[in-house]
Amino acid sequence: MVIKKMNRKEVEEALPLVWRVFTEYEAVNYSDDGKEAFRRAIYSEEYISSITAYGAYEKGEVVGIIATRNQGAHLALFFVDGNHHRKGRGRRLWEEVLDESKSEEITVNSSMYAVPVYEKLGFSVVGEMQENGEIVYIPMKYARPEKA
């Protein structure tokens, strides 16, 4: 597996993976309007322009993507193909973000499905479930360990 920073074209090519994983694992907790709001968001020019993304590739094919906004202070996307779950792809993507981000805290608006995944990566729930434009999420935060 190779982890690399993605250019805009590679991000656009990975969006069908994001949509497929979203619909398979997370969409059950969304209304039809919420699903459409998520689809519109990820395909919008403004959204794509605002993220820095890293991809996990196997045999030249993207199997996972993680993306940040706000100079690495907020996770915007984190999706791994279901056939590659529990094989370390997500952790390697997360470690890439930690290596690249200078932020002491990293936030994420987690789906209900992904809360246990983020908790395994060191995130904590910091608020109640919220809804923004039909997109339902749970706010979470990762704080880097203090250096001795």
Side-chain angles (χ1 to χ4, degrees):
M1 178 181 59
V2 173
I3 304 288
K4 70 173 193 165
K5 189 172 184 177
M6 301 173 87
N7 63 36
R8 181 186 178 88
K9 182 175 184 275
E10 290 165 330
V11 170
E12 290 172 349
E13 291 170 350
L15 291 177
L17 166 85
V18 170
W19 179 248
R20 187 175 69 251
V21 174
F22 170 80
T23 57
E24 185 173 351
Y25 295 96
E26 298 178 20
V28 66
N29 296 312
Y30 283 71
S31 67
D32 287 343
D33 288 344
K35 293 172 196 171
E36 180 57 21
F38 180 81
R39 190 195 62 74
R40 277 194 319 271
I42 64 170
Y43 280 97
S44 77
E45 171 65 32
E46 179 182 351
Y47 189 83
I48 293 170
S49 301
S50 73
I51 62 174
T52 301
Y54 303 89
Y57 290 84
E58 293 215 357
K59 299 177 185 168
E61 184 177 329
V62 66
V63 298
I65 181 173
I66 195 167
T68 63
R69 287 190 310 227
N70 304 334
Q71 292 82 42
H74 182 76
L75 279 186
L77 294 174
F78 192 8
F79 293 90
V80 175
D81 180 271
N83 293 323
H84 295 272
H85 285 183
R86 299 181 174 264
K87 296 180 180 178
R89 277 72 169 161
R91 182 163 295 278
R92 289 274 313 279
L93 285 165
W94 170 237
E95 289 168 354
E96 187 70 22
V97 166
L98 285 177
D99 288 346
E100 296 297 321
S101 173
K102 305 297 183 230
S103 183
E104 290 301 312
E105 294 182 349
I106 301 173
T107 60
V108 66
N109 295 333
S110 176
S111 69
M112 290 185 289
Y113 171 82
V115 168
V117 174
Y118 287 118
E119 288 176 333
K120 282 184 181 179
L121 297 175
F123 283 80
S124 300
V125 172
V126 294
E128 299 294 318
M129 185 169 57
Q130 299 179 27
E131 187 174 327
N132 182 357
E134 300 289 333
I135 296 176
V136 178
Y137 65 92
I138 298 167
M140 299 185 77
K141 178 174 72 173
Y142 173 87
R144 290 184 189 266
E146 296 202 18
K147 296 176 184 162

